[in-house]
């Protein structure tokens, strides 16, 4: 699972990976400029769709998808074990990733936090 926070002063969306997720994703954190964040949705169905080609990380179907994946020209970053808690963050401006698919404790609150942060942009 991950913790997502927003630092308005620095203009960053931060994703901090917890526990073994650091091992599965091969990352401890991601920092994305808020200017690159297009939006977020709670999308449990996304975790059930094809993942594409794993670049780095871990994928055990039905258990965990974590790390960098490439699908149809898109670069995705995954950290999901429980699809019901998956949040999809759409990114723009040619950054490292096109979308983040992240499991969080409270998907609705996380989506609301991200949406409020980019509306104030």
């Amino acid at each position: 699972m991950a913790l997502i926070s927003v630092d308005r002063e620095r203009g960053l969306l931060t994703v901090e990976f917890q526990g073994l997720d650091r091992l599965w994703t091969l990352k401890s954190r991601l920092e994305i400029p808020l200017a690159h964040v297009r939006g977020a949705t709670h999308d449990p169905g996304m975790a059930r769709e094809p993942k594409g080609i794993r670049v780095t990380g871990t994928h055990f179907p039905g258990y965990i998808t974590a790390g960098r994946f490439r699908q149809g020209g898109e670069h995705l970053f995954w950290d999901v074990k429980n699809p019901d808690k998956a949040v999809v963050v759409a990114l723009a401006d040619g950054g490292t990733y096109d979308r983040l698919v992240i499991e969080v404790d409270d998907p609705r609150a996380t989506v609301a936090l991200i949406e409020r942060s980019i509306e104030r942009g």
Side-chain angles (χ1 to χ4, degrees):
M1 189 163 315
L3 298 175
I4 294 180
S5 61
V6 173
D7 183 338
R8 297 287 305 153
E9 278 187 28
R10 294 177 53 213
L12 290 175
L13 173 92
T14 302
V15 181
E16 299 243 7
F17 301 102
Q18 305 295 303
L20 287 175
D21 288 350
R22 290 175 176 222
L23 175 66
W24 307 134
T25 62
L26 303 176
K27 295 265 186 201
S28 60
R29 74 177 11 211
L30 295 174
E31 290 185 338
I32 309 290
L34 279 176
H36 293 193
V37 179
R38 291 189 351 223
T41 58
H42 175 212
D43 189 355
M46 176 69 180
R48 293 175 183 90
E49 293 182 13
K51 310 304 183 265
I53 298 169
R54 179 172 42 115
V55 178
T56 64
T58 307
H59 181 61
F60 295 113
Y63 178 68
I64 187 170
T65 304
R68 295 178 58 198
F69 288 74
R70 186 169 169 89
Q71 179 185 19
E74 275 193 313
H75 298 271
L76 295 97
F77 190 91
W78 287 80
D79 183 26
V80 175
K81 291 184 289 299
N82 180 352
D84 293 332
K85 294 188 172 198
V87 169
V88 179
V89 180
L91 305 172
D93 297 330
T96 304
Y97 305 107
D98 297 297
R99 287 187 287 170
L100 310 176
V101 186
I102 307 293
E103 177 183 336
V104 296
D105 187 44
D106 187 342
R108 290 182 185 181
T110 300
V111 168
L113 170 70
I114 294 169
E115 290 295 321
R116 278 193 313 270
S117 298
I118 61 175
E119 285 173 2
R120 294 180 190 164

